[in-house]
Amino acid sequence: MDRRDVRPRHQQIAADLRALIMAGEMAPGSQLPSTQQLVERFSAANATIQRALSALKREGFVYSEVGKGVYVRDKQPFVVDVAAYLPPSSGYSHTLLEVAEVRPPAEVRAALGLADAAKAILRRRLLSRDGEPLELSLSYYPAIIAAGTPLAKRGRIPGGAPEILAELGYPQRDFVDRLSARLPTAEEFEVLELPADVPVLRQFRVVCSDGRVPVEVSILVKGAHLYELQYYQEIPGPGRS
C-alpha cells in the first residue's frame, strides 16, 4: 500500500528528532545540530525547523540556552513499574479528586459484570512525582462490595484498596491491562498539564479476586511524551516449572 506522510513538515521533523532522542541516539545533555544544519539535513525552511523545535520544547524533549543552542533534555523519562498498587515512596504523592457512587460507563459495567442500573464507587486521583502531574486514575469498585467501607469515603486509605478488599474477603489475585493511545480529553489535558498535540497512554485494568471475580476496574491515563511503562514477566523454559 503506497501511503505518504501528509502531516505538516514541522510535525514530521519533530517526530524524527523525537524518535532519535527516545532511542538514545541523541544523549541527554548533548547539543542538537545548529538550525542551519537542520535546515540542510531536512531540506526545510528555517521557520519550519523552529516550529519543530518549539514543539519538542513544549513536550520537554529539548531545552534551549540563550546564545548557546538547543540541548537534549537532561532527565530521562519516568519509567513507571506496572503494579496493582503503588506504595507511597519518595517523590510520589496522590491527590484525591473525587469519591462518589456512580453509574459507571458501559465498558466498566461489562468488565465488573454489573447490571445496567448497578452502581459503583468511584475514586478519582491524581498521581504526581516531584510535583509534576504523572497519572490521572479512575478506579471503580462494585457498590455491593464497597458501599459503606473506607473505599466509599474521602481520605487516604492506609495500605490502599488491596488491603480493604482483602479485609472484605476479596483479596486481589491478578489483573489484566489493555493499553491504548488517544488524544486527551479537556479534563486530562488540563489536569495533567499536557503540551498541545500530545497523546495519552490509557490503561484499562481489570483486577480479579479468587475465582476470577472482578473487584476493581481502573482507568489510568498518563501523557505519552515523558513516561514509559515497564512490564516484567518470566519466560517459561527448560528447568523452570
Side-chain angles (χ1 to χ4, degrees):
M1 179 177 177
D2 185 13
R3 184 165 185 258
R4 297 183 61 188
D5 188 345
V6 297
R7 291 175 297 174
R9 186 64 178 138
H10 75 278
Q11 291 184 3
Q12 297 177 20
I13 294 170
D16 286 349
L17 293 173
R18 189 185 298 114
L20 289 171
I21 293 171
M22 294 180 69
E25 292 299 315
M26 293 182 174
S30 64
Q31 186 173 2
L32 265 65
S34 68
T35 299
Q36 185 56 42
Q37 289 173 320
L38 292 174
V39 164
E40 295 173 359
R41 176 174 177 173
F42 290 103
S43 300
N46 184 296
T48 301
I49 297 298
Q50 293 301 328
R51 290 188 68 187
L53 294 178
S54 293
L56 294 175
K57 289 176 185 177
R58 289 194 302 270
E59 296 172 19
F61 279 97
V62 301
Y63 63 96
S64 59
E65 292 189 3
V66 179
K68 293 184 178 181
V70 179
Y71 296 82
V72 178
R73 64 185 180 193
D74 54 3
K75 63 179 181 181
Q76 293 300 302
F78 295 149
V79 178
V80 182
D81 282 308
V82 176
Y85 172 61
L86 180 66
S89 61
S90 177
Y92 287 93
S93 63
H94 279 97
T95 301
L96 185 62
L97 303 177
E98 178 186 11
V99 178
E101 185 172 305
V102 301
R103 178 175 177 265
E107 64 174 347
V108 175
R109 296 197 305 272
L112 289 174
L114 298 178
D116 188 61
K119 297 294 184 68
I121 301 301
L122 165 65
R123 295 182 68 85
R124 190 165 64 95
R125 302 178 301 274
L126 176 65
L127 174 66
S128 301
R129 182 178 186 271
D130 296 329
E132 295 187 41
L134 172 64
E135 176 183 271
L136 180 64
S137 66
L138 292 83
S139 295
Y140 297 88
Y141 307 90
I144 194 172
I145 295 175
T149 75
L151 291 172
K153 301 174 183 177
R154 293 193 65 88
R156 181 173 172 270
I157 302 175
E163 184 167 311
I164 299 300
L165 289 170
E167 292 174 358
L168 295 171
Y170 297 94
Q172 294 187 350
R173 298 304 187 192
D174 57 62
F175 68 86
V176 176
D177 274 1
R178 293 204 320 260
L179 297 180
S180 58
R182 59 164 171 74
L183 291 177
T185 64
E187 179 198 21
E188 293 162 355
F189 179 84
E190 294 170 1
V191 172
L192 294 174
E193 301 178 9
L194 297 173
D197 301 324
V198 167
V200 292
L201 298 174
R202 180 182 188 265
Q203 294 167 259
F204 186 86
R205 173 171 295 173
V206 181
V207 184
C208 290
S209 184
D210 296 323
R212 299 288 301 155
V213 174
V215 294
E216 176 186 333
V217 167
S218 286
I219 299 172
L220 314 172
V221 179
K222 54 175 64 65
H225 60 314
L226 293 178
Y227 311 114
E228 297 179 355
L229 301 180
Q230 178 170 277
Y231 287 81
Y232 170 80
Q233 181 175 340
E234 290 190 356
I235 300 174
R240 292 184 178 177
S241 57

